[in-house]
Amino acid sequence: MDTTSVGLDVFFVLLGAILVFAMHGGFAFLEVGTVRHKNQVNALVKIMVDFAFSTIAYFFIGYWVAYGVTFFMSAADLSGADAAFPLQGFALVKFFFLATFAAAVPAIISGGIAERAKFWPQVLAASIIVGLIYPFFEGIVWNGNFGIQDWFANTFGAPVHDFAGSLVVHAVGGWLALAAVLHLGARTGRYGPQGRPYPPSSIPWLALGTWLLCVGWFGFNVMSAQSVAGATGLVAINSLMAMVGGIVVATIVGRRDPGFIHNGALAGLVAVCAGSDVMHPIGALLTGGAAGGIFVYCFTLTQEKFKIDDVLGVWPLHGLCGVWGGVAAGVFGLEALGGMGGVSFFSQLLGTAMAAGYAFIAGFALYWLTKRVLGIRLTDAEQRRGADLSIHSIGANPEGEF
């Protein structure tokens, strides 16, 4: 029975890892549909290469930073011969699952810095993020490192609650992206006397990216339980309600703009991650709806008033909606509002501020150093030519371009 139970958990977490891995295709196509045609190849390549380097960084360094676990032993020991590792390689599929989360952070950043980032410097920055910056905070929230969660529990009655990563993944990724975008500056021709907004190159590709992300998100959220016994339909229904809430509000507030609508779904899903296991479905609907409004309003404010050229709007989508999700878990997770309880509003508020502040400061330092040492921005001429030809020497439709 023990072997069967472990085997079910291995399969459960493996399926979750595959679903989240598929989300990286969603990140890729969302970016492909949003950037100009001359940058589509670069968008596809960045997501795949970042995933590979991120996995290596997380395998050798990041997972140890977060959880104190290394893989420098025999395959037999890793599969359960060593008492420190569960049977049937459960620790290995858990690593796979969490690695797909870790690699989502560079995928988030990729959308913000699109069309003007040098290739190898951004790959190096992504590796440092997944090897050191991300797992440091991941270990604090999800592994109780340094006793910080104990302090929250003793001070406010509950630790910071982040079931599936509104803070650990999305807020951290979004605020790191803001730092990167500020260092990179706007794309050539985006602002100024002759500046203009660049419309998406392909709404169908953008929509495909959103659908892939939405489908995979149910693995992202539901399978964050990391065991069959811990899985609950509450997470699934809350994810669904938050997603549709984001769509509805983004449709109304965004005046039926397809970009806002498709990103509204993602905004709702980002926000519900933290409290998806403790909210009532109505609370999840309200959380997702508010996130849809936050994205539409803050995307416009960022692009037009602040003139921050965040191409896919990843700071509003992941950074701000992730922050909202962290706080919302401390509101709609309360028993008084129909939630499961076990959360503290003040823990959520302070923990959310900690996530955003840590990520922005670490990201600002990292991209400042990368900028000074290697340079991170394509030249104006390279940007006009497009990242596809400037970096990869091939366009999205080679046969039709020559």
Side-chain angles (χ1 to χ4, degrees):
M1 289 298 295
D2 288 344
T3 302
T4 301
S5 177
V6 172
L8 285 172
D9 287 345
V10 168
F11 180 75
F12 179 76
V13 176
L14 175 60
L15 183 58
I18 292 168
L19 285 169
V20 182
F21 177 47
M23 291 175 69
H24 288 264
F27 283 119
F29 285 108
L30 186 67
E31 186 171 337
V32 165
T34 305
V35 299
R36 288 171 289 177
H37 188 267
K38 61 185 178 180
N39 299 293
Q40 288 182 329
V41 171
N42 181 244
L44 292 169
V45 171
K46 276 192 304 177
I47 300 297
M48 180 163 281
V49 173
D50 281 351
F51 185 88
F53 277 85
S54 295
T55 300
I56 292 170
Y58 197 64
F59 183 86
F60 286 104
I61 304 172
Y63 199 65
W64 172 77
V65 171
Y67 301 102
V69 175
T70 67
F71 300 102
F72 298 105
M73 58 187 65
S74 71
D77 287 342
L78 293 174
S79 295
D82 188 303
F85 287 85
L87 296 171
Q88 297 178 238
F90 178 78
L92 303 181
V93 294
K94 180 181 177 181
F95 163 81
F96 181 16
F97 183 62
L98 292 173
T100 59
F101 277 55
V105 174
I108 290 168
I109 297 169
S110 175
I113 64 176
E115 300 199 358
R116 77 273 201 203
K118 288 185 175 180
F119 185 74
W120 286 115
Q122 69 89 22
V123 171
L124 175 62
S127 301
I128 293 171
I129 287 168
V130 176
L132 295 172
I133 294 174
Y134 167 81
F136 180 82
F137 189 75
E138 175 190 17
I140 288 173
V141 177
W142 285 344
N143 199 47
N145 293 355
F146 309 113
I148 294 175
Q149 285 284 44
D150 291 335
W151 179 84
F152 276 108
N154 293 332
T155 305
F156 300 113
V160 178
H161 187 87
D162 188 15
F163 181 70
S166 288
L167 298 177
V168 173
V169 178
H170 298 287
V172 167
W175 286 85
L176 283 167
L178 176 62
V181 168
L182 291 176
H183 277 300
L184 268 169
R187 289 167 289 177
T188 299
R190 177 64 179 90
Y191 298 114
Q194 278 79 45
R196 66 189 191 281
Y198 300 127
S201 60
S202 172
I203 297 300
W205 284 130
L206 185 157
L208 175 63
T210 294
W211 279 107
L212 286 171
L213 285 165
C214 287
V215 171
W217 221 295
F218 288 87
F220 197 96
N221 282 3
V222 175
M223 290 160 177
S224 285
Q226 297 185 27
S227 70
V228 174
T232 168
L234 182 64
V235 176
I237 194 67
N238 282 344
S239 301
L240 178 67
M241 297 303 287
M243 181 187 74
V244 299
I247 294 170
V248 168
V249 173
T251 302
I252 297 169
V253 177
R255 299 182 179 181
R256 303 175 304 282
D257 181 282
F260 286 147
I261 291 169
H262 286 89
N263 279 286
L266 305 181
L269 287 164
V270 165
V272 81
C273 286
S276 57
D277 63 326
V278 294
M279 292 180 180
H280 188 279
I282 296 175
L285 178 66
L286 295 173
T287 298
I294 288 169
F295 174 74
V296 173
Y297 177 75
C298 292
F299 178 86
T300 305
L301 192 67
T302 301
Q303 295 282 333
E304 303 306 326
K305 184 173 182 179
F306 298 150
K307 292 183 168 52
I308 298 174
D309 191 15
D310 178 356
V311 180
L312 268 68
V314 298
W315 179 58
L317 179 61
H318 298 275
L320 296 182
C321 291
V323 161
W324 159 239
V327 175
V331 176
F332 295 110
L334 297 172
E335 290 185 49
L337 293 177
M340 299 286 288
V343 295
S344 161
F345 173 76
F346 293 104
S347 289
Q348 295 305 118
L349 186 64
L350 186 57
T352 296
M354 179 176 68
Y358 166 74
F360 183 73
I361 293 169
F364 200 87
L366 172 64
Y367 284 101
W368 176 85
L369 184 62
T370 307
K371 182 179 179 180
R372 292 292 298 269
V373 175
L374 299 174
I376 55 176
R377 181 182 170 89
L378 295 175
T379 66
D380 289 352
E382 288 171 328
Q383 290 183 53
R384 292 190 184 98
R385 191 181 184 211
D388 293 357
L389 295 179
S390 296
I391 295 175
H392 308 289
S393 301
I394 192 169
N397 302 102
E399 186 176 3
E401 294 168 358
F402 296 99

